[in-house]
Amino acid sequence: MENHKPFHSPLSDSIQQPLITNFDAYKTMYKESMDDTEGFWKQQAKKILRWQHDFEEVSNCDFEEGMISWFLGGKLNACENCVDRHAKENGDKIALIWESNEPDEGKQITYKELLREVSRLANVLRHHGIRKGDRVALYMPMIPEAVYAMLACARIGAVHSVVFAGFSAEALRDRINDAQCKAVITANEGVRGKRIIPLKRIVDEAVIACPTVQHIFVAKRTDSKVPFFEPRDVWLNEAMEAERPYCPIEHMDSEDTLFLLYTSGSTGRPKGLAHTTAGYLLYTALTHQHIFDYQPGDVYACVAT
């Protein structure tokens, strides 16, 4: 049999060692998590997350009673963990790459820029009465403001509920009412390929039957004019420009709700799943790190719509 040399890519010289080098290393890590569950998650929580106040108890779970709690007594903020600490240590590095519908409109946003825009949007929400525990519906196209909005809600302790910007006014209405949302963040229009989606008009139709909604914040995605009803409606980008680029974080309990995510409703009434702050952050960070072997300098592409 002819001998073949192993293929060598010129890129391989710059590839870092994987975080889990082989299956045996994975089995060792898994065994640690099973043999000493409390100790394993305590170690991961202290290593990966930044806490304002350390937790007193790793977990208190009773599956028969349906009581599941993690990192009791701990205080932290999701936005600080995702943005602030990176802005401080690596402020000029790219945090977000936006690939727009039009190739020449894309943006690269650094951690410093991300922190500034998130803080401004958070201040807009606070200026309009959104407080810790209030629910905010996000019905947005794929634009940077969608990321700013999620992080801004987390920064001030508001609970965000992302609704796919392809759902009907009725589907949006039902989710707003179930969560009793105090505000909606949307855009004047959405762009998907050559299609224009009238997001603001859909929101207007939905909130006719949503008595809890006090404000609709509208990002400008296109130059098209849309119905606008002041003072309920607020142009988001203009309001952000008027706010300072600093917003203090809200210290959240580990079990405070971070966001609501509703089921599709294909099997009945949509059900809102509540994701709490510490447990969601830790599990997401750990799985993203090891499933995608994410390391400093890597670019992770999210193409979900």
Side-chain angles (χ1 to χ4, degrees), residues 1-2 8 17 30 42 49 58 74 88 103 122 159 167 169 174 177 202 206 218-219 225 232 238 247 286 289 300 302:
M1 183 180 293
E2 184 180 356
H8 175 75
Q17 274 289 102
Y30 177 75
K42 180 179 181 179
L49 300 182
V58 174
K88 183 178 181 180
V159 178
F167 280 176
D174 291 345
N177 283 335
I202 294 172
V218 187
K225 294 183 178 180
R232 185 200 69 178
E238 293 178 8
C247 176
L286 192 63
Q289 187 178 55
Y300 170 72
C302 178

Side-chain angles (χ1 to χ4, degrees), residues 185-235:
I185 305 177
T186 188
N188 60 336
E189 292 181 323
V191 183
R192 294 176 67 86
K194 296 182 179 181
R195 292 179 56 216
I196 301 296
I197 298 91
L199 298 180
K200 176 57 165 56
R201 293 179 185 274
I202 294 172
V203 171
D204 286 340
E205 182 181 344
V207 300
I208 291 173
C210 298
T212 59
V213 172
Q214 298 179 9
H215 290 291
I216 298 173
F217 301 97
V218 187
K220 188 176 182 182
R221 176 67 180 89
T222 69
D223 292 327
S224 298
K225 294 183 178 180
V226 293
F228 205 79
F229 307 98
E230 297 182 289
R232 185 200 69 178
D233 296 349
V234 178
W235 284 113

